[in-house]
Structures are given as C-alpha cells and as structure tokens.
C-alpha cells in the first residue's frame, strides 16, 4: 500500500521538487541564476522544454516506491508494538514510531536516492551535462566516488527524515484521534484524510526546512566545500545569513502538503481494498 501511494504521488508532484532543489542550489555567493520560482520554471522550460521540469524523476520514482513501503511498513510494525489494549495509538507514541520510520527510510532508501537526484538536477545546470540517464548516472557516481558517493549527507538525511516523519505521524495521529473521539471505529472520509495530511505536511516543512537545505547542499556537486553537516550549516549561516535556511520553502510547502495529503489518502484507500481481497490472520 505504501509503495503504490509513493509511486503515484511523486509522478504528480515532481516539478515542485525540481524547482525547490534548483532554488536551494542557487547560492547567494555567486550572482543568483534565478529571480524566483516563476523565473526558475521559465528558464528551465525555455532551455530544456517541459520535460526539463522532470529531470531526475526516474531516480526519485525508483526510490519513492521502496521509500514509502519502508516508511509505512516500519511505522505499522512499531505502532503495533505500542498500541494500548483498545488498539489506540497516542500522539507521543506515534511521534516515536514516526521517528523510527523516518530513520529507517533515510538509511535504506532516501540518502542514496536523494544524492543521485540532486546530482542529476545540479548536473543539468552545468554547460555540458555528463549524466545520460538514471543507470548511467549511478554507474558514473559509483565509478568516480565509490558507494559512499551515493551516501553524501547521511547525517543530515537521517535528521531530516526522522524529524519529518515524527512531525507528520504525530500531527496525523493527533488529528485522527481528535476526529474519531470516543469511537475508534469511526470511518474517516478521504477528503478529511487529505486535509489532515496537508496540515501534517505543512507542520513538517516549517519544522525542518533548514535541515532540508543543509542536506541538499551536502549532496550537490560542490559538497566537497564542506567538511561535514555541521560545517555546511555553519558556512551557510556565516556567508548567507539565517534566511538562507528557508530557501525553497514556498515550492516545498506546495509539494509537501500535496505529497502528504495524496500519500495518506492513497495509502488508506489501498489498505481498505487489500483488507477486502487479502484475508490474513
């Protein structure tokens, strides 16, 4: 259910992820290439056509399916150990389960996938792009930098994904428990699930965009400028100021709210369908 939800969602929302990554890579130190979101979209479409907004989609798509599967699988596994006698999961325990789910997806899927995606998008901005496609890009990265070349920014990614899912599942569980009140079997309408998901997504954006900016810089083609995650954060603060930690917030807010809403709706509906057709103990 998680895998299907992740695959469908990324196909819908990828262009906003592309724009967010471009704006985060567009450092103040050099003259900025883009004036804003609209200018980034305009320049990309002018230079590379509409398909330019989908550069790096394949690497994210190949990763989104196992990422969502690991996330929801880990969350369900952990939450099943932590529910009370009535089968309810309180907000604090959902925060811990979400943290575990986020850390698991970061190590197993997200870090290598995001590193490849950021390198792809950054590669397109160079005068002579060298990556011809997903598998060629991965092969070149591993050949040049070894397997650790796909694990750049692991600390920042674990911090980002862990806090991300902790916030999202905490908000989602709190809202669901509030909506259901004293009736744990109350059915939640998909539209209500979508609204709750969007609110959970917005909370996670405001909570951890600074970590997302650091993670993106640590995975870009110029990551060698930084000694480690903390040095990257220090240099951004020193040279660009605190506002730099919120670069790309608006496109990220649009994508994440849509992303989380779609994922939770599809996940819930697929689970309902599987419960009907797949009988288990």
């Amino acid at each position: 259910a998680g895998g299907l939800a992740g695959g469908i969602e990324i196909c819908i929302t990828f262009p906003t992820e592309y724009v967010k990554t471009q704006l985060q890579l567009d450092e103040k130190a050099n003259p900025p290439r883009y004036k804003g979101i609209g200018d980034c979209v305009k320049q990309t479409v002018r230079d590379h056509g509409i398909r330019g907004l989908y550069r790096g989609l394949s690497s994210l798509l190949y990763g989104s399916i196992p990422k969502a599967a690991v996330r929801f699988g880990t969350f369900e596994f952990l939450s099943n150990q932590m529910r009370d006698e009535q089968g309810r999961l309180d907000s604090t325990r959902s925060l811990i389960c979400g943290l575990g789910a986020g850390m698991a997806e970061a190590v197993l899927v997200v870090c290598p996938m995001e590193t490849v995606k950021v390198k792809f998008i950054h590669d397109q901005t160079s005068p002579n792009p060298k990556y011809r496609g997903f598998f060629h890009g991965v092969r070149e990265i591993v050949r040049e930098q070894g397997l650790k070349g796909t694990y750049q920014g692991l600390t920042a990614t674990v911090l980002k994904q862990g806090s991300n899912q902790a916030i999202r599942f905490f908000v989602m569980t709190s809202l669901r428990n509030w909506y259901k009140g004293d009736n744990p079997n109350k059915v939640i309408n998909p539209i209500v699930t979508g609204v709750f998901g969007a609110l959970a997504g917005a909370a996670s954006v405001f909570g951890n965009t600074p970590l997302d900016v650091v993670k993106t810089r640590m995975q870009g083609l110029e990551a060698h400028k930084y000694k480690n995650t903390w040095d990257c954060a220090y240099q951004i603060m020193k040279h660009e100021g605190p506002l730099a930690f919120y670069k790309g917030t608006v496109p990220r807010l649009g994508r994440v709210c849509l992303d989380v809403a779609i994922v939770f709706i599809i996940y819930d509906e697929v689970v309902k369908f599987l419960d009907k057709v797949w009988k288990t103990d």
Side-chain angles (χ1 to χ4, degrees):
L4 281 171
I8 294 167
E9 171 274 320
I10 202 60
C11 289
I12 296 170
T13 61
F14 185 78
T16 55
E17 172 70 12
Y18 176 90
V19 171
K20 178 212 77 170
T21 305
Q22 285 285 32
L23 291 176
Q24 287 178 348
L25 290 170
D26 193 26
E27 296 184 51
K28 264 189 190 173
N30 308 317
R33 278 188 59 170
Y34 307 114
K35 299 188 185 80
I37 298 167
D39 186 50
C40 179
V41 172
K42 190 169 81 180
Q43 284 195 45
T44 303
V45 173
R46 185 191 67 209
D47 297 339
H48 303 282
I50 293 289
R51 287 180 63 188
L53 292 171
Y54 282 88
R55 180 68 187 261
L57 171 65
S58 56
S59 60
L60 215 55
L61 188 59
Y62 297 143
S64 284
I65 294 169
K67 175 176 84 168
V70 168
R71 176 194 308 163
F72 283 101
T74 305
F75 181 81
E76 295 294 351
F77 173 77
L78 293 173
S79 65
N80 284 340
Q81 320 298 314
M82 301 181 81
R83 292 181 189 277
D84 60 21
E85 293 79 13
Q86 286 78 43
R88 287 173 68 93
L89 183 70
D90 65 36
S91 301
T92 308
R93 289 180 176 183
S94 76
L95 185 104
I96 295 165
C97 294
L99 181 65
M103 291 172 74
E105 71 175 14
V107 175
L108 295 173
V109 185
V110 177
C111 189
M113 177 192 76
E114 286 275 308
T115 303
V116 171
K117 180 210 73 178
V118 172
K119 286 184 191 297
F120 268 29
I121 293 177
H122 209 170
D123 179 55
Q124 186 182 320
T125 64
S126 59
N128 300 304
K130 61 181 180 178
Y131 302 140
R132 294 195 297 270
F134 176 75
F135 294 107
H136 177 258
V138 172
R139 196 165 63 240
E140 287 297 299
I141 292 165
V142 172
R143 186 174 64 79
E144 291 170 13
Q145 301 168 20
L147 201 57
K148 71 174 187 180
T150 63
Y151 267 91
Q152 285 177 267
L154 178 62
T155 305
T157 305
V158 168
L159 289 170
K160 180 210 162 187
Q161 293 304 122
S163 61
N164 236 354
Q165 302 313 328
I167 293 167
R168 288 177 192 175
F169 280 109
F170 171 79
V171 173
M172 199 70 193
T173 303
S174 302
L175 290 170
R176 279 175 168 162
N177 288 344
W178 165 77
Y179 185 79
K180 288 182 176 182
D182 297 326
N183 179 11
N185 298 316
K186 185 175 180 180
V187 177
I188 302 181
N189 183 295
I191 295 170
V192 175
T193 300
V195 172
F196 288 173
L199 289 171
S204 70
V205 168
F206 290 114
N208 79 353
T209 287
L211 285 169
D212 190 45
V213 172
V214 172
K215 176 195 70 68
T216 299
R217 294 285 179 86
M218 286 296 293
Q219 290 170 335
L221 297 178
E222 295 174 5
H224 57 82
K225 292 197 304 192
Y226 310 114
K227 292 179 199 146
N228 52 42
T229 302
W230 313 114
D231 180 56
C232 178
Y234 172 75
Q235 286 201 42
I236 292 171
M237 174 64 86
K238 181 181 174 184
H239 299 300
E240 301 172 56
L243 283 178
F245 286 111
Y246 280 89
K247 274 187 171 186
T249 297
V250 175
R252 185 176 181 227
L253 190 64
R255 188 187 90 78
V256 169
C257 289
L258 197 58
D259 161 347
V260 181
I262 291 169
V263 163
F264 274 108
I265 291 170
I266 297 172
Y267 179 74
D268 282 1
E269 294 307 304
V270 174
V271 166
K272 285 178 196 170
F273 173 74
L274 289 175
D275 282 342
K276 287 178 187 168
V277 301
W278 188 352
K279 300 298 177 191
T280 64
D281 298 332

